[in-house]
């Protein structure tokens, strides 16, 4: 207990959620109040997010609770409460966390009441938790991906405890609705439609750390989006590891295409995005919906991973190079101006020059609007980690460079084609380098900078793209 007077509440602890968490938020508020009295100032917090959009959305949930109980956000890690929401998809994500933890300890030495918490995917790995318990003993709280909804309760446990509180679950079938969330942007928001992944691609740790696939009920999703729209949101990003298999396991199954049609009907919502689509589950029904939708953005992220059918089989991706190419053709026939982006892994165990050339061939044929390229990272516990024939680092690096060069050149050529056209742009923020400019996004997800002012943020405006700078455009509002 951090020199605090224990709060004793006469009411029984509610068994049901989210009531139980609101009960703990009340207790937490009283502890925060005590600490404020002791310090003679408000308490501050900082949430650092690593990894994907799922984590970004989870962080908004953490912020929602911290603000509810009285902490004030600060942009430095020299804060009273610091939490790292971690990622473990590749090894370098883990290393970053260890590096920064050492530096946090310096702050804690100066502020003995400081609390340090770790959560997210990395914490689902037993060996990580062991390492933190033995080498980073100054950490106050560790929890995982399945019990993030319990954050208020865990925070109270950590405030009351004398040693590190660790609560990591292997899996859950629970989805808790209606907890506070503080959005990073007022006009756009991520919306979880499902959690977890059942695909077990052989290189990927996500199914082990995010658990089995669970879909939210359509009515909960629609209600959340309606509330967001009432609160000023014009763009939503529907989030799931594999949105194309949404709804299959619901009591009354619903397809992703059906969900999209329902979301489309929400008045006041202007743009719909979604992430991520697995090629094996992308249905004709979805393509039809994309074709007729007025709100779904002209952007599809369709991870390829490899162009070699031989490797795709070992990766457990359930499609061949030919099937992937046919799918792209079908999508483009239906929605000619759609931007297609992808993820590609280089250096998967046993990747030969021929396999790599197959990947390059898909890149040439599809001509992606942009691509995230990754060097294969061995994740303990995945089938690929057991595979011998790991590709020598030097060869992987060379292939990575070759791939990157082609991906960037093609992306630049494709972007150039839109120069001179007028596009609808959602203005997102004041430009970080030049405050006379604002930055916005096209439907196809490209970025444009244009002269503008803060009152344009969150608005859709027509912009002429005057110049293409490769990865982004310069533009001007069309009066
Ligand atoms: N090594 C490299 N990249 C990986 N990804 C997932 N697991 C690994 C790994 N072990 C990439 C995939 C996925 C993206 C989110 O991260 O390309 O689509
Ligand atoms: Fe990982 Fe494959 Fe699931 Fe994506 S679909 S999260 S790559 S296992």
């Amino acid at each position: 207990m951090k020199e605090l007077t224990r709060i004793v509440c006469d009411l029984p602890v509610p068994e049901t959620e989210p009531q139980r968490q609101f009960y703990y938020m009340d207790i937490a508020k009283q502890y925060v109040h005590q600490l404020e009295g002791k310090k003679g100032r408000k308490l501050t917090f900082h949430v650092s997010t690593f990894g994907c959009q799922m984590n970004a959305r989870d962080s908004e949930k953490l912020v929602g609770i911290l603000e509810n109980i009285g902490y004030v956000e600060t942009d430095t890690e020299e804060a009273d409460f610091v939490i790292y929401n971690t990622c473990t998809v590749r090894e370098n994500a883990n290393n970053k966390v260890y590096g920064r933890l050492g530096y946090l300890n310096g702050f804690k030495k100066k502020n003995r009441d400081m609390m340090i918490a770790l959560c997210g995917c990395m914490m689902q790995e037993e060996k990580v938790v062991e390492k933190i318990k033995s080498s980073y003993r100054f950490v106050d709280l560790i929890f995982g991906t399945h019990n993030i909804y319990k954050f208020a309760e865990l925070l109270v446990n950590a405030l009351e405890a004398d040693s590190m509180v660790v609560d990591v679950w292997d899996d859950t079938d629970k989805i808790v609705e209606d907890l506070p969330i503080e959005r990073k942007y007022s006009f756009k928001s991520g919306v979880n439609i499902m959690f977890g992944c059942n695909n077990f691609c052989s290189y990927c740790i996500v199914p082990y750390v995010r658990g089995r696939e669970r879909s939210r009920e359509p009515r909960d999703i629609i209600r959340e989006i309606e509330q967001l729209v009432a609160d000023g949101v014009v763009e939503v990003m529907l989030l799931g590891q594999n949105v194309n298999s949404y709804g299959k396991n619901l009591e009354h199954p619903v397809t992703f295409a059906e969900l999209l049609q329902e979301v489309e009907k929400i008045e006041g919502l202007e743009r719909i995005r979604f992430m991520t689509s697995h090629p094996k589950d992308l249905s004709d029904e979805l393509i039809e919906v994309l074709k007729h939708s007025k709100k779904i953005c002209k952007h599809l992220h369709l991870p390829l991973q490899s162009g070699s059918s031989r490797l795709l089989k070992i990766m457990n991706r359930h499609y061949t190079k030919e099937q992937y190419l046919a799918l792209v053709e079908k999508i483009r026939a239906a929605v000619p101006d759609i931007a297609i982006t992808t993820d590609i892994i280089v250096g998967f165990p046993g990747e030969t020059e021929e396999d790599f050339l197959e990947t390059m061939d898909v890149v040439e044929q599809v001509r992606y609007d942009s691509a995230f390229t990754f060097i294969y990272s061995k994740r303990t516990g995945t089938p690929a980690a057991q595979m011998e024939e790991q590709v020598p680092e030097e060869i992987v690096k060379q292939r990575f460079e070759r791939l990157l060069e082609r991906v960037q050149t093609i992306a630049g050529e494709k972007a150039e084609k839109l120069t001179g056209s007028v596009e609808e742009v959602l203005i997102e923020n004041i430009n970080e380098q030049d405050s006379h400019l604002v930055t916005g996004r096209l439907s196809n997800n490209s970025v444009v900078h244009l002269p503008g002012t803060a009152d344009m943020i969150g608005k859709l405006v027509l912009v002429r793209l005057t110049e293409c700078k490769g990865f982004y455009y310069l533009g001007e509002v069309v009066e």
Side-chain angles (χ1 to χ4, degrees):
M1 190 91 184
K2 302 195 174 348
E3 294 166 37
L4 291 167
T5 312
R6 184 178 287 268
I7 309 287
V8 185
C9 182
D10 296 337
L11 298 169
V13 182
E15 296 280 324
T16 51
E17 299 293 0
Q19 291 77 5
R20 186 179 172 94
Q21 297 314 309
F22 283 103
Y23 168 93
Y24 280 108
M25 278 181 238
D26 275 340
I27 296 182
K29 274 178 204 165
Q30 297 177 55
Y31 283 130
V32 169
H33 196 69
Q34 276 188 35
L35 283 165
E36 279 173 2
K38 182 174 157 195
K39 293 188 170 292
R41 60 168 174 82
K42 285 280 195 191
L43 298 190
T44 57
F45 77 89
H46 185 83
V47 178
S48 285
T49 311
F50 300 80
C52 66
Q53 314 242 13
M54 282 279 186
N55 267 14
R57 184 64 176 158
D58 281 348
S59 287
E60 292 184 346
K61 298 174 187 172
L62 301 170
V63 172
I65 288 170
L66 286 164
E67 292 197 339
N68 180 285
I69 63 183
Y71 281 93
V72 182
E73 188 159 21
T74 166
D75 50 13
T76 107
E77 290 187 351
E78 193 162 6
D80 297 298
F81 191 101
V82 174
I83 182 161
Y84 284 176
N85 188 2
T86 62
C87 169
T88 187
V89 75
R90 287 169 291 276
E91 184 66 30
N92 54 5
N94 292 38
N95 293 338
K96 262 191 236 163
V97 168
Y98 292 127
R100 280 174 55 175
L101 267 179
Y103 148 88
L104 273 193
N105 194 22
F107 294 141
K108 188 156 182 169
K109 284 185 181 143
K110 286 197 264 169
N111 175 4
R112 288 175 51 80
D113 294 318
M114 182 179 179
M115 301 268 289
I116 298 175
L118 301 172
C119 68
C121 295
M122 216 177 130
M123 300 306 127
Q124 292 295 137
E125 290 183 272
E126 235 168 89
K127 69 174 190 341
V128 169
V129 175
E130 288 312 315
K131 178 164 173 170
I132 292 166
K133 276 188 190 161
S134 60
S135 309
Y136 299 86
R137 297 167 63 92
F138 54 88
V139 170
D140 299 279
L141 170 62
I142 295 179
F143 57 100
T145 56
H146 303 299
N147 54 350
I148 186 168
Y149 73 86
K150 264 184 74 180
F151 177 48
E153 180 171 347
L154 293 167
L155 182 73
V156 168
N157 294 161
L159 282 164
E160 290 177 347
D162 290 317
S163 57
M164 191 189 294
V165 171
V166 180
D167 191 7
V168 179
W169 300 356
D170 286 344
D171 205 349
T172 184
D173 52 9
K174 209 165 172 156
I175 298 178
V176 177
E177 300 285 345
D178 298 324
L179 282 165
I181 303 188
E182 186 62 36
R183 293 195 311 278
K184 188 167 172 196
Y185 298 96
S186 60
F187 54 88
K188 70 170 183 178
S189 180
V191 174
N192 297 109
I193 64 167
M194 60 203 299
F195 302 92
C197 181
N198 284 354
N199 291 307
F200 291 96
C201 301
S202 61
Y203 50 81
C204 185
I205 201 166
V206 169
Y208 306 89
V209 297
R210 286 270 172 185
R212 295 295 62 72
E213 204 170 281
R214 286 147 286 144
S215 294
R216 282 176 76 196
E217 286 293 338
R219 63 171 179 278
D220 290 331
I221 297 169
I222 299 295
R223 191 170 48 122
E224 179 178 347
I225 301 175
E226 283 171 348
Q227 283 165 358
L228 289 168
V229 170
D231 198 30
V233 165
V234 291
E235 178 181 301
V236 288
M237 165 80 90
L238 307 180
L239 297 171
Q241 303 297 346
N242 176 12
V243 292
N244 296 334
S245 71
Y246 168 79
K248 287 187 180 150
N249 301 321
L250 287 170
E251 196 184 331
H252 303 289
V254 172
T255 64
F256 180 54
E258 286 166 347
L259 177 73
L260 277 173
Q261 284 168 292
E262 288 308 305
V263 175
E264 174 110 14
K265 287 183 198 152
I266 298 174
E267 235 172 275
L269 181 66
E270 307 271 1
R271 280 181 165 187
I272 305 167
R273 298 186 185 276
F274 54 84
M275 241 329 172
T276 291
S277 279
H278 194 307
K280 82 177 164 67
D281 297 313
L282 201 147
S283 66
D284 289 349
E285 186 197 11
L286 177 65
I287 298 177
E288 266 313 287
V289 171
L290 297 183
K291 181 173 173 177
H292 294 109
S293 168
K294 301 244 175 329
K295 297 186 179 175
I296 301 173
C297 289
K298 304 278 187 220
H299 173 214
L300 182 68
H301 187 65
L302 196 63
L304 169 70
Q305 313 301 4
S306 167
S308 154
S309 297
R310 186 186 80 82
L311 280 192
L312 285 167
K313 195 163 174 39
I314 305 173
M315 287 177 163
N316 197 28
R317 291 290 290 176
H318 297 279
Y319 54 83
T320 61
K321 174 187 180 188
E322 290 69 31
Q323 284 166 333
Y324 184 95
L325 289 171
L327 179 62
V328 168
E329 204 170 306
K330 199 153 63 168
I331 295 162
R332 287 205 169 128
V335 193
D337 51 347
I338 197 162
I340 299 184
T341 60
T342 201
D343 292 342
I344 299 172
I345 298 175
V346 178
F348 182 82
E351 183 188 70
T352 62
E353 179 66 15
E354 288 69 41
D355 293 319
F356 175 68
L357 290 176
E358 296 279 12
T359 300
M360 291 291 265
D361 185 45
V362 176
V363 168
E364 296 299 336
Q365 290 198 47
V366 174
R367 295 182 60 78
Y368 292 105
D369 293 83
S370 95
F372 295 102
T373 49
F374 303 110
I375 287 182
Y376 167 74
S377 168
K378 184 171 168 177
R379 308 314 289 129
T380 310
T382 62
Q386 310 291 327
M387 296 176 191
E388 287 153 10
E389 291 190 86
Q390 304 276 338
V391 186
E393 211 179 302
E394 226 5 77
I395 294 184
V396 178
K397 271 198 190 140
Q398 283 170 14
R399 287 183 189 157
F400 183 81
E401 293 302 326
R402 281 155 72 193
L403 175 67
L404 193 64
E405 198 276 322
R406 278 313 286 151
V407 157
Q408 289 182 342
T409 306
I410 294 170
E413 287 165 8
K414 293 206 70 174
E416 186 62 56
K417 289 212 169 117
L418 277 187
T419 311
S421 66
V422 173
E423 300 285 328
E424 194 174 57
V425 170
L426 177 62
I427 306 297
E428 299 199 337
N429 48 272
I430 296 280
N431 187 294
E432 279 161 22
Q433 267 92 48
D434 180 348
S435 63
H436 298 98
L437 298 178
V438 289
T439 299
R441 252 172 226 278
L442 278 57
S443 172
N444 76 5
N445 212 33
S446 298
V447 168
V448 54
H449 305 294
L450 56 141
T453 44
D455 57 311
M456 291 163 71
I457 293 173
K459 301 218 168 78
L460 282 157
V461 291
L462 286 177
V463 173
R464 185 181 312 283
L465 306 176
T466 48
E467 198 180 335
C468 177
K469 294 277 194 184
F471 291 117
Y472 62 91
Y473 298 94
L474 298 180
E476 60 197 21
V477 173
V478 178
E479 299 300 336

